[in-house]
């Protein structure tokens, strides 16, 4: 079973954003085949370091209609963010205006494609990109009966963005407002 494997104290570890050579790691010895590269996801601490300085694309996709609270998103904005040395972009999204209120609670395809287009603009510039649910009070106002709709929403988001860069992050729920939506509700929802 161990034929062809070698005991090593040095190996390359490939994070999706960089390669590190780990040498003579105390208390770490592994059996690997020679010239092996381990692929390890970015850790939360590594991601925090990568995030650096961010900017918020607010009042754009969290408005009931894009462009009604602020100008519609443009690809050139992301060039400007990069030029100004921002390293992450948060894209708040209000999904409730763009999804069915009856099962299976489908998100409008045109809107989902627009979200993906904007996310792709950001990721193509190597920016850490964060999307969320924002101002979706329908969820907390109707909790717990709204949980199925909320789960359906995130299943659709997960499906749409499953093959994107590891630099796409998800903020599951933002800024609860309803006084009836308690800390315990938020914890049970998570």
């Amino acid at each position: 079973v161990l034929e062809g494997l070698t005991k090593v104290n040095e190996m390359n570890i490939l994070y999706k954003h960089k390669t590190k050579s780990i040498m003579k790691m105390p208390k770490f010895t592994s059996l690997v085949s020679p010239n092996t590269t381990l692929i390890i996801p970015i850790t939360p601490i590594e991601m925090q370091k990568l995030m650096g300085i961010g900017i918020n694309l607010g009042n754009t996709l969290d408005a009931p209609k894009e462009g009604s609270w602020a100008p519609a998103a443009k690809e050139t904005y992301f060039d400007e963010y990069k030029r100004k040395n921002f390293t992450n972009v948060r894209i708040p999204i209000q999904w409730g205006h763009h999804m069915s209120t009856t099962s299976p609670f489908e998100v409008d395809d045109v809107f989902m494609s627009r979200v993906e287009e904007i996310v792709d603009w950001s990721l193509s510039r190597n920016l850490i990109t964060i999307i969320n649910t924002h101002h979706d009070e329908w969820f907390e106002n109707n909790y717990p009966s709204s949980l199925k709709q909320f789960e359906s929403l995130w299943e659709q988001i997960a499906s749409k963005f499953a093959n994107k860069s590891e630099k796409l992050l998800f903020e599951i729920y933002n800024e609860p407002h309803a006084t009836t939506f308690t800390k315990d509700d938020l914890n049970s929802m998570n």
Side-chain angles (χ1 to χ4, degrees), residues 46-112:
E46 287 286 330
M47 182 57 74
Q48 183 182 20
K49 290 176 188 173
L50 289 172
M51 287 180 77
I53 299 172
I55 191 164
N56 192 47
L57 185 66
N59 295 326
T60 304
L61 294 180
D62 51 331
K65 180 179 180 206
E66 184 180 3
S68 64
W69 292 351
K74 296 180 185 175
E75 188 170 9
T76 56
Y77 293 174
F78 296 87
D79 294 326
E80 191 66 17
Y81 300 155
K82 192 74 175 175
R83 194 175 74 71
K84 297 286 187 178
N85 296 315
F86 287 103
T87 52
N88 79 74
V89 177
R90 180 173 173 257
I91 305 170
I93 304 163
Q94 187 172 176
W95 299 91
H97 294 291
H98 308 283
M99 68 184 299
S100 169
T101 57
T102 58
S103 185
F105 310 110
E106 293 178 341
V107 175
D108 176 74
D109 288 336
V110 172
F111 183 73
M112 184 68 88

Side-chain angles (χ1 to χ4, degrees), residues 6-17:
T6 308
K7 193 172 187 177
V8 295
N9 287 326
E10 177 179 338
M11 68 178 58
N12 287 324
I13 296 180
L14 175 65
Y15 291 89
K16 289 189 178 180
H17 65 285

Side-chain angles (χ1 to χ4, degrees), residues 135-147:
H135 301 307
D136 276 316
E137 283 94 8
W138 59 265
F139 171 66
E140 59 194 66
N141 289 335
N142 299 308
Y143 187 83
S145 64
S146 59
L147 190 55

